[in-house]
Amino acid sequence: MKMFIVAALALFSLGATAQRTETVVDRVDQHTEKVLDHTDVTKKFNSHWFLNLQGGAQYTLGEAKFKDLISPNVQAAIGYQFSPVFGMRLQANGWQSKGGWSADVLPKQYKWKYVAPGLDFMFNLSNLLCGWNPERVFNVTAFLGGGANIGWDNGELNDIAASVKNNLGAYELEYVWDGTKIRPFGRGGLQFDFRLSDAVHFLIEGNANILSDKYNSKKAENPDWYFNGLAGFRINLGKTYKTETNDVYRDVVVYDTIYKTIIIDDGQPVKIDPIRRDVFFQRNKSNIEDTEVSKIKDIADYLNKYPQAKVDIRGYADVQTGNAKINARLAQERADIVVKTLIDDYGISADRITYSSYGDTVQPFAENDLNRVSICIAEVK
């Protein structure tokens, strides 16, 4: 009967132990978690529409003085940015062009009106050469395009031509046109873009336009040109980039007080070994030597790595030097200086530090001189 009771108790004890072990494992598993370490923010290009509104001046190539061939100019465009480098815009440029010549028998200059709708292919050179950056302050864009120049109101030159024909029959303007004329043109230029915000950019643009020799009504056996200098704004219609966020998590270190283990990535228990550093002192001294500083840093690094860890510091003095009273003071000072260094220099909380001193009553080392020491043991508890 007694043997049966003992066997039953033994089985019960084993069962209880197994159950307790399982409970510990469950508790550890339940406390395995991840916490947010940081968030990566990535910006990706977003294709979008844009609107350009610009104004400035035009110089129409001719024989009169430069200042006499300057006229006002405006331009509006709607476009689409397909990629960081490539875009297209449908633009309309116009207002006034001027012509002139150097013959003394004729008036020096005249003007007419025009509007020139066209299509431009645009290439962002800054993004092409330096990579896309949605926050870049300055961008350079080159463009090439063409369209139709629609000219009208050429009355000034027609009046001049009639006067010349009536009074100077030997001089005739061969390319004088009247009414409305539509001529193809080609053009290219550069645009300088200053980012004011994601939605609004300030633009400075220069473009050169080439047409047939008949544009300015003068026969010169070469194409006609006009050049525009413009300033204005680009308004992005919609977002120019998308923001993607990616949360990066780190593993929470979970400590088990029974087995002194932590749980890392795969949920397997890993043993944390304690760390010991012996900080030695000179005879009758309690200041930390340069050679010993790294040992205290090792203790601080361990405590910072494992927030559950604590350190125990014990100060000693060698029995062959001084007397018991002096050695008690030295041992205490040697423990105190290590504690102070951990708190003041490394920010270790005082509640994670325990310390004591033994004077010369305990000699941890067989060699006398080694007993001038503070023994520091940090471990996860």
Side-chain angles (χ1 to χ4, degrees), residues 202-249:
F202 177 70
L203 304 177
I204 297 176
E205 179 179 322
N207 60 62
N209 301 262
I210 184 171
L211 305 94
S212 73
D213 187 29
K214 296 183 179 182
Y215 181 63
N216 64 4
S217 300
K218 293 167 52 181
K219 185 175 182 179
E221 305 295 341
N222 55 257
D224 289 336
W225 290 84
Y226 60 80
F227 305 90
N228 297 320
L230 303 162
F233 295 93
R234 167 172 170 154
I235 302 172
N236 292 316
L237 307 177
K239 293 187 177 297
T240 60
Y241 60 86
K242 297 177 181 178
T243 301
E244 295 184 358
T245 58
N246 179 37
D247 291 336
V248 179
Y249 292 86

mmCIF file of all heavy atoms in Angstrom, residues 202-249:
data_model
loop_
_atom_site.group_PDB
_atom_site.id
_atom_site.type_symbol
_atom_site.label_atom_id
_atom_site.label_comp_id
_atom_site.label_asym_id
_atom_site.label_seq_id
_atom_site.Cartn_x
_atom_site.Cartn_y
_atom_site.Cartn_z
ATOM 1 N N PHE A 202 7.598 78.006 -60.821
ATOM 2 C CA PHE A 202 7.842 79.221 -61.594
ATOM 3 C C PHE A 202 8.708 78.861 -62.793
ATOM 4 O O PHE A 202 9.714 78.162 -62.658
ATOM 5 C CB PHE A 202 8.538 80.275 -60.738
ATOM 6 C CG PHE A 202 8.884 81.528 -61.480
ATOM 7 C CD1 PHE A 202 7.888 82.404 -61.893
ATOM 8 C CD2 PHE A 202 10.205 81.828 -61.787
ATOM 9 C CE1 PHE A 202 8.204 83.563 -62.591
ATOM 10 C CE2 PHE A 202 10.529 82.980 -62.474
ATOM 11 C CZ PHE A 202 9.526 83.853 -62.875
ATOM 12 N N LEU A 203 8.321 79.348 -63.982
ATOM 13 C CA LEU A 203 8.989 78.964 -65.219
ATOM 14 C C LEU A 203 9.628 80.164 -65.905
ATOM 15 O O LEU A 203 9.056 81.261 -65.943
ATOM 16 C CB LEU A 203 8.001 78.331 -66.203
ATOM 17 C CG LEU A 203 7.188 77.123 -65.740
ATOM 18 C CD1 LEU A 203 6.227 76.696 -66.845
ATOM 19 C CD2 LEU A 203 8.113 75.974 -65.361
ATOM 20 N N ILE A 204 10.803 79.944 -66.474
ATOM 21 C CA ILE A 204 11.418 80.877 -67.418
ATOM 22 C C ILE A 204 11.721 80.066 -68.671
ATOM 23 O O ILE A 204 12.335 78.996 -68.586
ATOM 24 C CB ILE A 204 12.701 81.505 -66.853
ATOM 25 C CG1 ILE A 204 12.377 82.342 -65.619
ATOM 26 C CG2 ILE A 204 13.389 82.363 -67.913
ATOM 27 C CD1 ILE A 204 13.595 82.918 -64.943
ATOM 28 N N GLU A 205 11.282 80.554 -69.808
ATOM 29 C CA GLU A 205 11.408 79.776 -71.048
ATOM 30 C C GLU A 205 11.942 80.627 -72.180
ATOM 31 O O GLU A 205 11.619 81.806 -72.312
ATOM 32 C CB GLU A 205 10.036 79.213 -71.440
ATOM 33 C CG GLU A 205 10.037 78.410 -72.724
ATOM 34 C CD GLU A 205 8.669 77.846 -73.081
ATOM 35 O OE1 GLU A 205 7.948 77.426 -72.144
ATOM 36 O OE2 GLU A 205 8.329 77.834 -74.287
ATOM 37 N N GLY A 206 12.766 80.011 -73.003
ATOM 38 C CA GLY A 206 13.209 80.617 -74.248
ATOM 39 C C GLY A 206 12.975 79.645 -75.381
ATOM 40 O O GLY A 206 13.303 78.463 -75.259
ATOM 41 N N ASN A 207 12.370 80.107 -76.487
ATOM 42 C CA ASN A 207 12.150 79.214 -77.628
ATOM 43 C C ASN A 207 12.422 79.931 -78.935
ATOM 44 O O ASN A 207 12.296 81.157 -79.044
ATOM 45 C CB ASN A 207 10.744 78.600 -77.602
ATOM 46 C CG ASN A 207 9.642 79.629 -77.661
ATOM 47 O OD1 ASN A 207 9.520 80.374 -78.641
ATOM 48 N ND2 ASN A 207 8.801 79.685 -76.607
ATOM 49 N N ALA A 208 12.844 79.153 -79.908
ATOM 50 C CA ALA A 208 13.126 79.659 -81.265
ATOM 51 C C ALA A 208 12.184 78.973 -82.233
ATOM 52 O O ALA A 208 11.983 77.756 -82.164
ATOM 53 C CB ALA A 208 14.576 79.368 -81.636
ATOM 54 N N ASN A 209 11.585 79.765 -83.151
ATOM 55 C CA ASN A 209 10.571 79.255 -84.076
ATOM 56 C C ASN A 209 10.989 79.558 -85.506
ATOM 57 O O ASN A 209 11.391 80.691 -85.825
ATOM 58 C CB ASN A 209 9.229 79.926 -83.782
ATOM 59 C CG ASN A 209 8.757 79.691 -82.353
ATOM 60 O OD1 ASN A 209 7.952 78.827 -82.082
ATOM 61 N ND2 ASN A 209 9.290 80.481 -81.415
ATOM 62 N N ILE A 210 10.879 78.562 -86.378
ATOM 63 C CA ILE A 210 11.282 78.703 -87.769
ATOM 64 C C ILE A 210 10.072 78.502 -88.678
ATOM 65 O O ILE A 210 9.258 77.603 -88.462
ATOM 66 C CB ILE A 210 12.413 77.701 -88.102
ATOM 67 C CG1 ILE A 210 12.904 77.929 -89.542
ATOM 68 C CG2 ILE A 210 11.973 76.271 -87.875
ATOM 69 C CD1 ILE A 210 14.164 77.126 -89.861
ATOM 70 N N LEU A 211 9.937 79.380 -89.699
ATOM 71 C CA LEU A 211 8.823 79.330 -90.650
ATOM 72 C C LEU A 211 9.347 79.556 -92.060
ATOM 73 O O LEU A 211 10.543 79.801 -92.267
ATOM 74 C CB LEU A 211 7.783 80.415 -90.328
ATOM 75 C CG LEU A 211 7.200 80.452 -88.924
ATOM 76 C CD1 LEU A 211 7.987 81.435 -88.067
ATOM 77 C CD2 LEU A 211 5.732 80.854 -88.967
ATOM 78 N N SER A 212 8.450 79.561 -93.020
ATOM 79 C CA SER A 212 8.842 79.802 -94.411
ATOM 80 C C SER A 212 9.259 81.265 -94.602
ATOM 81 O O SER A 212 8.946 82.134 -93.791
ATOM 82 C CB SER A 212 7.689 79.464 -95.353
ATOM 83 O OG SER A 212 6.675 80.457 -95.258
ATOM 84 N N ASP A 213 9.918 81.525 -95.698
ATOM 85 C CA ASP A 213 10.436 82.870 -95.995
ATOM 86 C C ASP A 213 9.324 83.900 -96.156
ATOM 87 O O ASP A 213 9.561 85.102 -96.047
ATOM 88 C CB ASP A 213 11.287 82.781 -97.269
ATOM 89 C CG ASP A 213 12.016 84.077 -97.569
ATOM 90 O OD1 ASP A 213 12.324 84.806 -96.599
ATOM 91 O OD2 ASP A 213 12.263 84.369 -98.740
ATOM 92 N N LYS A 214 8.094 83.449 -96.349
ATOM 93 C CA LYS A 214 6.998 84.384 -96.623
ATOM 94 C C LYS A 214 6.334 84.947 -95.371
ATOM 95 O O LYS A 214 5.429 85.774 -95.478
ATOM 96 C CB LYS A 214 5.946 83.689 -97.490
ATOM 97 C CG LYS A 214 6.461 83.293 -98.870
ATOM 98 C CD LYS A 214 5.365 82.670 -99.717
ATOM 99 C CE LYS A 214 5.887 82.301 -101.105
ATOM 100 N NZ LYS A 214 4.824 81.725 -101.963
ATOM 101 N N TYR A 215 6.781 84.491 -94.178
ATOM 102 C CA TYR A 215 6.098 84.912 -92.950
ATOM 103 C C TYR A 215 6.123 86.419 -92.764
ATOM 104 O O TYR A 215 5.101 87.035 -92.433
ATOM 105 C CB TYR A 215 6.739 84.221 -91.743
ATOM 106 C CG TYR A 215 6.084 84.566 -90.428
ATOM 107 C CD1 TYR A 215 4.760 84.222 -90.174
ATOM 108 C CD2 TYR A 215 6.793 85.227 -89.422
ATOM 109 C CE1 TYR A 215 4.151 84.531 -88.969
ATOM 110 C CE2 TYR A 215 6.191 85.541 -88.209
ATOM 111 C CZ TYR A 215 4.871 85.192 -87.989
ATOM 112 O OH TYR A 215 4.273 85.504 -86.796
ATOM 113 N N ASN A 216 7.278 87.058 -93.001
ATOM 114 C CA ASN A 216 7.362 88.512 -92.771
ATOM 115 C C ASN A 216 7.167 89.334 -94.044
ATOM 116 O O ASN A 216 7.494 90.518 -94.096
ATOM 117 C CB ASN A 216 8.688 88.880 -92.103
ATOM 118 C CG ASN A 216 9.888 88.574 -92.998
ATOM 119 O OD1 ASN A 216 9.739 88.145 -94.153
ATOM 120 N ND2 ASN A 216 11.086 88.786 -92.464
ATOM 121 N N SER A 217 6.633 88.670 -95.101
ATOM 122 C CA SER A 217 6.274 89.340 -96.368
ATOM 123 C C SER A 217 7.467 89.784 -97.190
ATOM 124 O O SER A 217 7.301 90.435 -98.228
ATOM 125 C CB SER A 217 5.379 90.563 -96.109
ATOM 126 O OG SER A 217 4.188 90.192 -95.463
ATOM 127 N N LYS A 218 8.684 89.452 -96.756
ATOM 128 C CA LYS A 218 9.887 89.876 -97.487
ATOM 129 C C LYS A 218 10.567 88.661 -98.099
ATOM 130 O O LYS A 218 10.687 87.624 -97.453
ATOM 131 C CB LYS A 218 10.865 90.560 -96.526
ATOM 132 C CG LYS A 218 10.381 91.878 -95.981
ATOM 133 C CD LYS A 218 11.232 92.348 -94.812
ATOM 134 C CE LYS A 218 12.701 92.336 -95.175
ATOM 135 N NZ LYS A 218 13.538 92.762 -94.037
ATOM 136 N N LYS A 219 11.021 88.811 -99.309
ATOM 137 C CA LYS A 219 11.749 87.750 -99.986
ATOM 138 C C LYS A 219 13.229 87.849 -99.624
ATOM 139 O O LYS A 219 13.895 88.830 -99.962
ATOM 140 C CB LYS A 219 11.565 87.846 -101.498
ATOM 141 C CG LYS A 219 12.213 86.690 -102.254
ATOM 142 C CD LYS A 219 11.907 86.772 -103.740
ATOM 143 C CE LYS A 219 12.528 85.589 -104.475
ATOM 144 N NZ LYS A 219 12.225 85.627 -105.923
ATOM 145 N N ALA A 220 13.724 86.807 -98.908
ATOM 146 C CA ALA A 220 15.116 86.856 -98.466
ATOM 147 C C ALA A 220 15.876 85.576 -98.806
ATOM 148 O O ALA A 220 17.046 85.444 -98.471
ATOM 149 C CB ALA A 220 15.175 87.090 -96.963
ATOM 150 N N GLU A 221 15.199 84.620 -99.436
ATOM 151 C CA GLU A 221 15.815 83.343 -99.825
ATOM 152 C C GLU A 221 16.310 82.538 -98.620
ATOM 153 O O GLU A 221 17.217 81.723 -98.736
ATOM 154 C CB GLU A 221 16.986 83.584 -100.792
ATOM 155 C CG GLU A 221 16.632 84.383 -102.023
ATOM 156 C CD GLU A 221 15.628 83.663 -102.941
ATOM 157 O OE1 GLU A 221 15.498 82.421 -102.795
ATOM 158 O OE2 GLU A 221 15.008 84.331 -103.769
ATOM 159 N N ASN A 222 15.708 82.747 -97.453
ATOM 160 C CA ASN A 222 16.049 81.955 -96.260
ATOM 161 C C ASN A 222 14.849 81.945 -95.316
ATOM 162 O O ASN A 222 13.968 82.808 -95.417
ATOM 163 C CB ASN A 222 17.282 82.512 -95.558
ATOM 164 C CG ASN A 222 17.160 83.978 -95.198
ATOM 165 O OD1 ASN A 222 17.733 84.834 -95.873
ATOM 166 N ND2 ASN A 222 16.408 84.303 -94.160
ATOM 167 N N PRO A 223 14.766 80.968 -94.412
ATOM 168 C CA PRO A 223 13.603 80.888 -93.518
ATOM 169 C C PRO A 223 13.494 82.125 -92.623
ATOM 170 O O PRO A 223 14.471 82.811 -92.348
ATOM 171 C CB PRO A 223 13.885 79.633 -92.680
ATOM 172 C CG PRO A 223 14.881 78.850 -93.466
ATOM 173 C CD PRO A 223 15.713 79.851 -94.193
ATOM 174 N N ASP A 224 12.275 82.370 -92.170
ATOM 175 C CA ASP A 224 12.035 83.436 -91.192
ATOM 176 C C ASP A 224 12.057 82.839 -89.780
ATOM 177 O O ASP A 224 11.701 81.672 -89.566
ATOM 178 C CB ASP A 224 10.682 84.108 -91.456
ATOM 179 C CG ASP A 224 10.716 84.963 -92.723
ATOM 180 O OD1 ASP A 224 11.808 85.401 -93.117
ATOM 181 O OD2 ASP A 224 9.639 85.168 -93.313
ATOM 182 N N TRP A 225 12.435 83.688 -88.814
ATOM 183 C CA TRP A 225 12.558 83.252 -87.419
ATOM 184 C C TRP A 225 11.911 84.262 -86.488
ATOM 185 O O TRP A 225 11.928 85.463 -86.755
ATOM 186 C CB TRP A 225 14.038 83.139 -87.017
ATOM 187 C CG TRP A 225 14.803 82.030 -87.651
ATOM 188 C CD1 TRP A 225 15.411 82.038 -88.871
ATOM 189 C CD2 TRP A 225 15.062 80.744 -87.085
ATOM 190 N NE1 TRP A 225 16.034 80.847 -89.115
ATOM 191 C CE2 TRP A 225 15.839 80.032 -88.028
ATOM 192 C CE3 TRP A 225 14.714 80.126 -85.891
ATOM 193 C CZ2 TRP A 225 16.281 78.729 -87.799
ATOM 194 C CZ3 TRP A 225 15.160 78.844 -85.656
ATOM 195 C CH2 TRP A 225 15.931 78.141 -86.608
ATOM 196 N N TYR A 226 11.341 83.744 -85.391
ATOM 197 C CA TYR A 226 11.052 84.611 -84.248
ATOM 198 C C TYR A 226 11.404 83.864 -82.959
ATOM 199 O O TYR A 226 11.377 82.641 -82.905
ATOM 200 C CB TYR A 226 9.609 85.126 -84.237
ATOM 201 C CG TYR A 226 8.516 84.098 -84.169
ATOM 202 C CD1 TYR A 226 8.147 83.500 -82.971
ATOM 203 C CD2 TYR A 226 7.802 83.742 -85.325
ATOM 204 C CE1 TYR A 226 7.108 82.572 -82.908
ATOM 205 C CE2 TYR A 226 6.768 82.814 -85.275
ATOM 206 C CZ TYR A 226 6.429 82.232 -84.068
ATOM 207 O OH TYR A 226 5.411 81.315 -84.008
ATOM 208 N N PHE A 227 11.758 84.645 -81.934
ATOM 209 C CA PHE A 227 12.253 84.103 -80.660
ATOM 210 C C PHE A 227 11.414 84.664 -79.518
ATOM 211 O O PHE A 227 11.148 85.873 -79.469
ATOM 212 C CB PHE A 227 13.717 84.484 -80.460
ATOM 213 C CG PHE A 227 14.602 84.075 -81.611
ATOM 214 C CD1 PHE A 227 14.810 84.939 -82.686
ATOM 215 C CD2 PHE A 227 15.209 82.826 -81.629
ATOM 216 C CE1 PHE A 227 15.624 84.566 -83.755
ATOM 217 C CE2 PHE A 227 16.014 82.446 -82.688
ATOM 218 C CZ PHE A 227 16.222 83.314 -83.762
ATOM 219 N N ASN A 228 11.010 83.794 -78.608
ATOM 220 C CA ASN A 228 10.182 84.197 -77.476
ATOM 221 C C ASN A 228 10.918 84.006 -76.149
ATOM 222 O O ASN A 228 11.552 82.970 -75.926
ATOM 223 C CB ASN A 228 8.891 83.369 -77.425
ATOM 224 C CG ASN A 228 8.020 83.596 -78.642
ATOM 225 O OD1 ASN A 228 7.900 84.718 -79.117
ATOM 226 N ND2 ASN A 228 7.411 82.527 -79.149
ATOM 227 N N GLY A 229 10.823 85.020 -75.307
ATOM 228 C CA GLY A 229 11.290 84.920 -73.927
ATOM 229 C C GLY A 229 10.085 85.061 -73.005
ATOM 230 O O GLY A 229 9.383 86.079 -73.057
ATOM 231 N N LEU A 230 9.825 84.026 -72.191
ATOM 232 C CA LEU A 230 8.586 83.972 -71.417
ATOM 233 C C LEU A 230 8.850 83.641 -69.948
ATOM 234 O O LEU A 230 9.810 82.947 -69.620
ATOM 235 C CB LEU A 230 7.650 82.904 -72.000
ATOM 236 C CG LEU A 230 7.268 83.060 -73.477
ATOM 237 C CD1 LEU A 230 6.735 81.745 -74.020
ATOM 238 C CD2 LEU A 230 6.238 84.159 -73.639
ATOM 239 N N ALA A 231 7.989 84.118 -69.094
ATOM 240 C CA ALA A 231 8.012 83.758 -67.680
ATOM 241 C C ALA A 231 6.578 83.499 -67.241
ATOM 242 O O ALA A 231 5.634 84.103 -67.774
ATOM 243 C CB ALA A 231 8.638 84.874 -66.842
ATOM 244 N N GLY A 232 6.411 82.616 -66.280
ATOM 245 C CA GLY A 232 5.055 82.300 -65.821
ATOM 246 C C GLY A 232 5.062 81.164 -64.832
ATOM 247 O O GLY A 232 6.049 80.936 -64.119
ATOM 248 N N PHE A 233 3.977 80.419 -64.823
ATOM 249 C CA PHE A 233 3.796 79.389 -63.807
ATOM 250 C C PHE A 233 3.330 78.076 -64.436
ATOM 251 O O PHE A 233 2.604 78.068 -65.431
ATOM 252 C CB PHE A 233 2.779 79.838 -62.763
ATOM 253 C CG PHE A 233 3.234 81.026 -61.968
ATOM 254 C CD1 PHE A 233 2.884 82.312 -62.366
ATOM 255 C CD2 PHE A 233 4.038 80.864 -60.857
ATOM 256 C CE1 PHE A 233 3.315 83.414 -61.640
ATOM 257 C CE2 PHE A 233 4.472 81.958 -60.126
ATOM 258 C CZ PHE A 233 4.111 83.236 -60.521
ATOM 259 N N ARG A 234 3.783 77.010 -63.817
ATOM 260 C CA ARG A 234 3.268 75.676 -64.129
ATOM 261 C C ARG A 234 2.448 75.230 -62.926
ATOM 262 O O ARG A 234 2.921 75.278 -61.788
ATOM 263 C CB ARG A 234 4.406 74.697 -64.384
ATOM 264 C CG ARG A 234 3.952 73.226 -64.409
ATOM 265 C CD ARG A 234 5.067 72.318 -64.842
ATOM 266 N NE ARG A 234 4.744 70.910 -64.652
ATOM 267 C CZ ARG A 234 5.279 69.919 -65.360
ATOM 268 N NH1 ARG A 234 6.157 70.189 -66.310
ATOM 269 N NH2 ARG A 234 4.950 68.667 -65.129
ATOM 270 N N ILE A 235 1.237 74.790 -63.189
ATOM 271 C CA ILE A 235 0.350 74.307 -62.139
ATOM 272 C C ILE A 235 0.098 72.828 -62.388
ATOM 273 O O ILE A 235 -0.465 72.444 -63.422
ATOM 274 C CB ILE A 235 -0.976 75.093 -62.136
ATOM 275 C CG1 ILE A 235 -0.703 76.594 -61.942
ATOM 276 C CG2 ILE A 235 -1.903 74.573 -61.041
ATOM 277 C CD1 ILE A 235 -1.918 77.466 -62.124
ATOM 278 N N ASN A 236 0.563 72.000 -61.465
ATOM 279 C CA ASN A 236 0.353 70.555 -61.590
ATOM 280 C C ASN A 236 -1.067 70.204 -61.174
ATOM 281 O O ASN A 236 -1.517 70.573 -60.087
ATOM 282 C CB ASN A 236 1.359 69.801 -60.732
ATOM 283 C CG ASN A 236 2.780 69.945 -61.244
ATOM 284 O OD1 ASN A 236 3.021 69.845 -62.444
ATOM 285 N ND2 ASN A 236 3.720 70.184 -60.345
ATOM 286 N N LEU A 237 -1.761 69.504 -62.041
ATOM 287 C CA LEU A 237 -3.150 69.122 -61.787
ATOM 288 C C LEU A 237 -3.169 67.694 -61.268
ATOM 289 O O LEU A 237 -3.185 66.735 -62.021
ATOM 290 C CB LEU A 237 -3.969 69.246 -63.076
ATOM 291 C CG LEU A 237 -3.880 70.610 -63.779
ATOM 292 C CD1 LEU A 237 -4.668 70.590 -65.080
ATOM 293 C CD2 LEU A 237 -4.376 71.719 -62.866
ATOM 294 N N GLY A 238 -3.138 67.558 -59.970
ATOM 295 C CA GLY A 238 -3.050 66.242 -59.356
ATOM 296 C C GLY A 238 -1.702 66.035 -58.708
ATOM 297 O O GLY A 238 -0.785 66.854 -58.834
ATOM 298 N N LYS A 239 -1.549 64.931 -58.026
ATOM 299 C CA LYS A 239 -0.324 64.646 -57.293
ATOM 300 C C LYS A 239 0.786 64.219 -58.246
ATOM 301 O O LYS A 239 0.557 63.433 -59.165
ATOM 302 C CB LYS A 239 -0.570 63.564 -56.236
ATOM 303 C CG LYS A 239 -1.490 64.021 -55.110
ATOM 304 C CD LYS A 239 -1.554 62.991 -54.011
ATOM 305 C CE LYS A 239 -2.419 63.475 -52.853
ATOM 306 N NZ LYS A 239 -1.834 64.686 -52.217
ATOM 307 N N THR A 240 1.986 64.734 -57.997
ATOM 308 C CA THR A 240 3.129 64.411 -58.845
ATOM 309 C C THR A 240 3.848 63.146 -58.388
ATOM 310 O O THR A 240 4.683 62.616 -59.105
ATOM 311 C CB THR A 240 4.124 65.575 -58.865
ATOM 312 O OG1 THR A 240 4.574 65.821 -57.522
ATOM 313 C CG2 THR A 240 3.461 66.835 -59.408
ATOM 314 N N TYR A 241 3.554 62.691 -57.184
ATOM 315 C CA TYR A 241 4.157 61.456 -56.703
ATOM 316 C C TYR A 241 3.235 60.796 -55.676
ATOM 317 O O TYR A 241 2.362 61.446 -55.095
ATOM 318 C CB TYR A 241 5.540 61.702 -56.083
ATOM 319 C CG TYR A 241 5.533 62.637 -54.893
ATOM 320 C CD1 TYR A 241 5.279 62.169 -53.606
ATOM 321 C CD2 TYR A 241 5.784 63.989 -55.053
ATOM 322 C CE1 TYR A 241 5.266 63.022 -52.523
ATOM 323 C CE2 TYR A 241 5.783 64.859 -53.974
ATOM 324 C CZ TYR A 241 5.527 64.365 -52.713
ATOM 325 O OH TYR A 241 5.517 65.210 -51.642
ATOM 326 N N LYS A 242 3.442 59.502 -55.514
ATOM 327 C CA LYS A 242 2.711 58.736 -54.510
ATOM 328 C C LYS A 242 3.654 58.389 -53.371
ATOM 329 O O LYS A 242 4.835 58.106 -53.594
ATOM 330 C CB LYS A 242 2.141 57.449 -55.120
ATOM 331 C CG LYS A 242 1.121 57.680 -56.226
ATOM 332 C CD LYS A 242 0.674 56.349 -56.813
ATOM 333 C CE LYS A 242 -0.335 56.547 -57.942
ATOM 334 N NZ LYS A 242 -0.732 55.254 -58.560
ATOM 335 N N THR A 243 3.131 58.416 -52.170
ATOM 336 C CA THR A 243 3.934 58.070 -51.001
ATOM 337 C C THR A 243 3.538 56.687 -50.500
ATOM 338 O O THR A 243 2.366 56.425 -50.250
ATOM 339 C CB THR A 243 3.737 59.103 -49.875
ATOM 340 O OG1 THR A 243 4.125 60.399 -50.360
ATOM 341 C CG2 THR A 243 4.597 58.753 -48.671
ATOM 342 N N GLU A 244 4.521 55.804 -50.414
ATOM 343 C CA GLU A 244 4.291 54.466 -49.883
ATOM 344 C C GLU A 244 5.059 54.326 -48.572
ATOM 345 O O GLU A 244 6.219 54.732 -48.471
ATOM 346 C CB GLU A 244 4.756 53.400 -50.876
ATOM 347 C CG GLU A 244 3.946 53.383 -52.170
ATOM 348 C CD GLU A 244 4.370 52.265 -53.096
ATOM 349 O OE1 GLU A 244 5.319 51.538 -52.729
ATOM 350 O OE2 GLU A 244 3.772 52.119 -54.172
ATOM 351 N N THR A 245 4.407 53.777 -47.575
ATOM 352 C CA THR A 245 5.052 53.588 -46.279
ATOM 353 C C THR A 245 5.206 52.105 -45.991
ATOM 354 O O THR A 245 4.345 51.290 -46.339
ATOM 355 C CB THR A 245 4.239 54.243 -45.151
ATOM 356 O OG1 THR A 245 2.918 53.682 -45.128
ATOM 357 C CG2 THR A 245 4.133 55.750 -45.379
ATOM 358 N N ASN A 246 6.306 51.773 -45.392
ATOM 359 C CA ASN A 246 6.578 50.387 -45.029
ATOM 360 C C ASN A 246 7.045 50.357 -43.579
ATOM 361 O O ASN A 246 8.111 50.881 -43.242
ATOM 362 C CB ASN A 246 7.657 49.792 -45.940
ATOM 363 C CG ASN A 246 7.975 48.361 -45.577
ATOM 364 O OD1 ASN A 246 7.089 47.591 -45.208
ATOM 365 N ND2 ASN A 246 9.246 47.989 -45.667
ATOM 366 N N ASP A 247 6.218 49.784 -42.712
ATOM 367 C CA ASP A 247 6.568 49.700 -41.297
ATOM 368 C C ASP A 247 7.588 48.589 -41.076
ATOM 369 O O ASP A 247 7.392 47.454 -41.526
ATOM 370 C CB ASP A 247 5.321 49.427 -40.453
ATOM 371 C CG ASP A 247 4.370 50.615 -40.431
ATOM 372 O OD1 ASP A 247 4.839 51.747 -40.654
ATOM 373 O OD2 ASP A 247 3.165 50.412 -40.216
ATOM 374 N N VAL A 248 8.670 48.916 -40.410
ATOM 375 C CA VAL A 248 9.714 47.946 -40.097
ATOM 376 C C VAL A 248 9.644 47.636 -38.601
ATOM 377 O O VAL A 248 9.715 48.552 -37.772
ATOM 378 C CB VAL A 248 11.102 48.498 -40.466
ATOM 379 C CG1 VAL A 248 12.189 47.485 -40.114
ATOM 380 C CG2 VAL A 248 11.151 48.820 -41.958
ATOM 381 N N TYR A 249 9.487 46.369 -38.291
ATOM 382 C CA TYR A 249 9.316 45.960 -36.899
ATOM 383 C C TYR A 249 10.584 45.306 -36.372
ATOM 384 O O TYR A 249 11.379 44.748 -37.130
ATOM 385 C CB TYR A 249 8.151 44.971 -36.775
ATOM 386 C CG TYR A 249 6.812 45.583 -37.056
ATOM 387 C CD1 TYR A 249 6.322 45.672 -38.361
ATOM 388 C CD2 TYR A 249 6.030 46.092 -36.027
ATOM 389 C CE1 TYR A 249 5.088 46.247 -38.624
ATOM 390 C CE2 TYR A 249 4.800 46.669 -36.277
ATOM 391 C CZ TYR A 249 4.339 46.743 -37.580
ATOM 392 O OH TYR A 249 3.130 47.318 -37.838
#
